[in-house]
Amino acid sequence: MAFESEAWSKLLEPLLAAGRAAGADLVEVFLEHVDHLSILAEQDIITSVSPAFGMGAGLRVFRGNRDGFVSTNDLSEAGLAAALDQALAMLGLQRPSSAGSAQFGGLQRLRDYGATKQQWLQSCPNLTEASGHLLAATNQLQRHGSHLQSRRGSYARNWQEVLVVASDGTHARDIRLHQTVGLSVLASDADHRASLSRRYGSTDNPDDLRHWDGEASATDLCSSAATMLYADYVQAGQFPVVLANRFGGVIFHEACGHLLETTQVERGTTPFAKKVGELIAHPAVTALDEGLSSGAFGSLAMDDEGMEPQRSVLIENGVLQRFLSDRAGELRTGHPRTGSGRRQSHAFAAASRMRNTFIAAGPHTPAELIASVDQGLYCKSMGGGSVGPTGQFNFAVEEAYLIEAGQITKPVKGATLIGEAKEVMPRISMCANDLELAAGFCGSVSGSVNVTVGQPHIKVDTITVGGR
Amino acid sequence: MDSGSDQSSLDAARLGDKLAQLANQAGIRQWDIGVGCSTDSSVQVDRGEAKQLKGAQRSSSTVRVWNDANLIGITSTTDLSEAGLARALEGAKAASAFGNPQETPNFSPLATAPLPILEQPLCPSLGILNLLSTLKQAEAELLARHSALSSVPYNGLAERRSKRIYLNSEGACRQQQLTTASVYLYALAEQPGRKPRSSGAVRLAYGAADLDLAGCINEAAERTIAHLDYGPIPTGRYTCVFSPEAFLDLIGAFSSLFNARAVLDGVSLSSRESLGQQLAVPFLSIYDNGLHPANIGASSFDGEGTPTRRLSLVEGGMLSHFLHSEATARAFGVEPTGHAGMGAKVSVGANWFEVGPTPGSDGGASGLDRLAASHNGDQGLVLIDSLSALHAGVKASQGSFSLPFDGWWIRHGEQRSIEAATVAGDIRTVLQTLLGFEGQAKVTPDGLCPWVWVEGLAVTGEA
């Protein structure tokens, strides 16, 4: 039964009332239906088709600064009641024999962000059509590549219907649709090997795969693979680095973005906790996080706590402006919610997470950044990264080139960039005028969520480059 | 709205009867299913207060069906009700039209073979409030170990009761119940004018009451305190001594070397012809042994119902066997080894590694002495305590890695924590340049391994 049905509010309102009557400050229920499809093409054949469907609920009870969270796949009345009892018991509460409603004013009228999205699932490419697009792309890899030992294309479609209700009256429903296409190759020639991949993703666009330019993606990937196949390993050291736009934005995501989530403030693991209003980055840096850009992979009509996303300026001209916050973050740190409460699924409690996070465009051209470097590294394509509990970040570089006397010269591989947020943010001294976003996945306390990272070309005055 | 699944009483025989009935109604003659159900409780604390208390009831299943053309399709669902299973069968049947005609998995020929008997006690639940008080006490004890320990930002105590089932239409019926518990404590140390430092420890057991909390607290405290006095290390090539955890992480990241699925897909550094060839120094042996008594939560069968067993991967430095599913084993003309997942294209993965000296080998004795060696020349040794960002810094199909690490530089008999550095190399070179082992093998969550010495790895620190 779809979540806009009144049957759900009739089922859930007594639960919320019972939770409040038991002494909870707030009771929140997150329900989801999911329908997933993934397809893998290898060389010129479909080798795996994996459909999945399911449902679940996550119940969270707050009392004071504490909360208890229970998830279940059992959406029956008894199953949800049992989950509520378990969550209450975690906080030393139990339901009274008769559930009163004095402390619960009922649910607000449903805010239904999904009303116009009912046909999205049916509008997506079916198995036959999606397989056709993937096979065409792996065939393009064969046409444009050389020395390719392995060619892969993957497609994933995640459809999710969510309902969020809470004892403060929150009552909101949405339908989300995320699609990703990935291409990867392994090029091999004698002792030389290069493995590279690209991923493309969109939100809320059933036609996305139909409009994807598989040939352009294949051409781009094959070009990079051909270049990197014979690249030397990068020499380790500390250099000025120019990071390309799009996925280059992973540096801000890892080096700073995570440290501006209130989950990090709660843990005491961000050096920026008491720095609002202070200069924490080079004045050239303005950085934002928002969930509003049309079609961007991290966009959402409402967050997983039922709040509409905001456009949050995190850093303006180097000065820290605010943190990303969810319900628990607001409760425990005082930073107001920003519509950033996100979770992978019902099995996770929402936490403050990034959405579309990027460094704003600056006044320079990319060529000016390159020209300003005498000896350094140009990072054209980035791999994944992470940040540790002391603020130390790292990320891998998939495709890099030396910069010599202001010119991009030969390709190098095997670079890892490491540093500390506090030290690297003041060293981002130049931003170009070519801001672009790229889709990715971010794993953290509330699971893996889809995000975009982004930036224009930027220059970091010096950073440690791990290599050989 | 009712999922209808009664996880606590999930019964393999009844589930098999229901599947057979539903499959028959759908015109499906060949099918199998893997089911998992679990109940979890976990707590986190923050400076003496409960941070988050979590509970979960989870269920999942994957159904595979073979159509009349012998093509396979699958569907996964969390809905174990009759309606959910019927929908999954229909979905799998529809997906089978897109099955790979060049490689169709079959039932494992060992899906009804006797299973190994595992000594896995089913432990009673402590309950979440007991978990909470236990973890609060552990946090307090850890913080009391050193004035610089300011918080334990990453911590958790969890217990789980789970059940796995594998069934197929030829009568295979596997099931396994398990209880497990885990604790992790990662402390943050802060001193005025110095950078914060962090480290921690993990312990596993069959029940929360059996967890080695004292050992976890000791190890977390010792590791974190040992990083307080830190300094830079010059970039260069060093003899590196990997902790058991770090070396097992490295081996795990490059386990496609031993993976028949990766070999067949052309993304492994190994090929069919690699078997019997020298992969490593002659004194190195590697086994996959999911049955080791220290492997908490071991599975007695894999995703295809094949019994788990100990398998030699590298013996005397030579690549001796690959890990197999049914399909890869058939392609190689051998038996499945108990390392399969479940899917339309079945994945293959390692269980639990045993790394150590080849029995009777002359080299690689466990007597290497880091302090003595640190006096040889000015370069010293690098101890690698833990590796980070393996997901980003390992290129498994290329063999290369470039990874941040926490560790120490030992020089002239003195040990100092390294402020920040990466280690880079090629796994094939690492395996060929092992100098030997230090100390006895240590049990870790991922396997059994002593400290491992490797010659001449590139370490990037200060320029």
Side-chain angles (χ1 to χ4, degrees), chain A residues 42 51-55 67 69 71 73 75 86 90 149 193 195 236 266-267 384-385 394 396 416 420 423 468, chain B residues 1 51-55 57 59 74 76-78 100 153 195 265-266 345 389 391-392 395 397-398 402 425 460:
Chain A
E42 293 177 279
F53 63 92
M55 56 190 171
D67 73 277
F69 176 79
S71 63
N73 295 127
L75 300 197
Q86 190 182 350
M90 290 174 180
Q149 183 168 323
R193 282 187 162 217
S195 57
E266 291 177 48
R267 278 208 172 94
N394 61 79
T416 299
E420 289 193 33
E423 294 175 352
R468 298 194 190 176
Chain B
M1 284 186 259
K51 177 168 165 53
Q52 186 163 71
L53 310 174
K54 290 179 75 172
Q57 290 87 39
S59 58
I74 75 162
S76 300
T77 182
T78 59
N100 178 2
K195 292 180 178 178
D265 290 347
K345 175 174 180 170
H391 68 289
K395 288 279 193 182
S397 56
Q398 290 179 205
S402 178
T460 305

Side-chain angles (χ1 to χ4, degrees), chain B residues 111-245:
Chain B
T112 54
L115 291 178
I117 296 171
L118 299 174
E119 295 291 329
Q120 294 177 319
L122 292 175
C123 297
S125 164
L126 274 191
I128 198 154
L129 295 180
N130 284 326
L131 294 181
L132 179 60
S133 59
T134 302
L135 188 59
K136 279 182 182 177
Q137 188 176 341
E139 184 199 39
E141 287 183 28
L142 175 52
L143 291 174
R145 291 298 176 90
H146 195 285
S147 59
L149 298 177
S150 59
S151 66
V152 189
Y154 293 89
N155 64 73
L157 177 57
E159 59 184 11
R160 160 178 283 203
R161 177 173 288 268
S162 61
K163 187 171 189 177
R164 288 176 63 223
I165 292 172
Y166 172 81
L167 304 166
N168 73 28
S169 55
E170 287 183 354
C173 178
R174 308 289 207 193
Q175 54 185 323
Q176 181 181 16
Q177 288 190 67
L178 199 60
T179 59
T180 52
S182 62
V183 61
Y184 64 93
L185 299 167
Y186 279 77
L188 189 68
E190 294 175 292
Q191 290 180 311
R194 306 283 284 165
K195 292 180 178 178
R197 310 292 284 170
S198 177
S199 193
V202 180
R203 292 292 187 276
L204 307 176
Y206 285 104
D210 302 323
L211 283 166
D212 176 18
L213 281 165
C216 192
I217 294 166
N218 283 339
E219 186 179 333
E222 287 170 10
R223 279 187 135 151
T224 311
I225 292 165
H227 286 295
L228 279 176
D229 177 30
Y230 65 86
I233 183 170
T235 296
R237 291 199 170 269
Y238 293 84
T239 295
C240 292
V241 186
F242 287 80
S243 71
E245 292 88 347

Side-chain angles (χ1 to χ4, degrees), chain B residues 354-371:
Chain B
E354 291 177 6
V355 177
T358 303
S361 65
D362 292 335
S366 61
L368 290 173
D369 183 340
R370 64 180 75 163
L371 285 178

